[in-house]
Amino acid sequence: MKITIVAVGRLKSGPEKYLWDDYARRLTWSVQLKEVEEKKPLPPKQLRQSEGALLFEKVPSDALVIALDQSGKSLSSIHFAERLQTWMIEGIRDVAFLVGGSDGLSPDVLARAHLRLCMGAQTWPHLLARCMLLEQIYRAQCILGNHPYHK
């Protein structure tokens, strides 16, 4: 299974980039980051719509789409790992996680998602959220491989 994280914004050098690179190096699973950015200044509703279109342009065809959304389903690390394992067993080839910008994801994106995933009740910067997602993917890999990282 290939995992794609499609995110609004560019990860530049700094602590978030360092954190991303650290977890990316640890992974043996195929995980790719695709970044999008709307350069035009738009009102929030139009910005979410435009970013949503840009996000879906980068989603692999036939991918299972997971939208990170504060009103989504909250999964423990173990349940997240089990969900990934189930998709692997079912033969899902591509999973795409969508991370919106500071204004969130458009209703169209949320409606097209197979799963809306919440990373907790707190609000996180979208650049940090992608790093936290990557860490959870790494943690899932460790859980499924019986690696002691999760303890």
Side-chain angles (χ1 to χ4, degrees):
M1 180 172 71
K2 291 187 262 179
I3 299 172
T4 305
I5 298 173
V6 188
V8 172
R10 304 280 179 209
L11 198 54
K12 300 175 178 121
S13 63
E16 295 90 352
K17 175 82 167 105
Y18 175 81
L19 190 59
W20 175 272
D21 290 344
D22 183 45
Y23 285 110
R25 273 190 297 274
R26 297 180 192 195
L27 275 163
T28 58
W29 292 354
S30 173
V31 178
Q32 182 179 23
L33 175 64
K34 295 182 179 181
E35 298 174 309
V36 301
E37 193 170 25
E38 174 57 68
K39 302 233 182 215
K40 294 178 243 163
L42 298 170
K45 184 178 179 183
Q46 290 177 337
L47 182 61
R48 283 193 308 274
Q49 290 297 109
S50 178
E51 288 173 345
L54 292 170
L55 287 167
F56 271 106
E57 285 176 9
K58 301 290 185 181
V59 171
S61 61
D62 298 324
L64 185 80
V65 176
I66 313 304
L68 269 61
D69 181 60
Q70 64 187 14
S71 64
K73 184 174 181 72
S74 182
L75 297 174
S76 70
S77 296
I78 291 173
H79 286 114
F80 181 69
E82 289 170 350
R83 184 73 59 106
L84 288 171
Q85 184 177 44
T86 298
W87 292 332
M88 287 179 210
I89 291 168
E90 291 174 350
I92 302 294
R93 291 182 173 202
D94 290 296
V95 175
F97 290 90
L98 305 184
V99 182
S102 59
D103 290 315
L105 295 167
S106 69
D108 291 346
V109 169
L110 296 174
R112 289 176 64 184
H114 297 94
L115 173 67
R116 291 165 57 180
L117 181 64
C118 176
M119 295 187 68
Q122 298 172 330
T123 302
W124 299 99
H126 63 277
L127 292 176
L128 186 55
R130 71 178 73 179
C131 296
M132 294 168 55
L133 173 60
L134 189 64
E135 188 279 338
Q136 284 298 297
I137 293 168
Y138 173 69
R139 185 176 295 275
Q141 176 185 284
C142 290
I143 290 168
L144 297 176
N146 293 315
H147 187 279
Y149 176 82
H150 179 64
K151 295 180 181 182

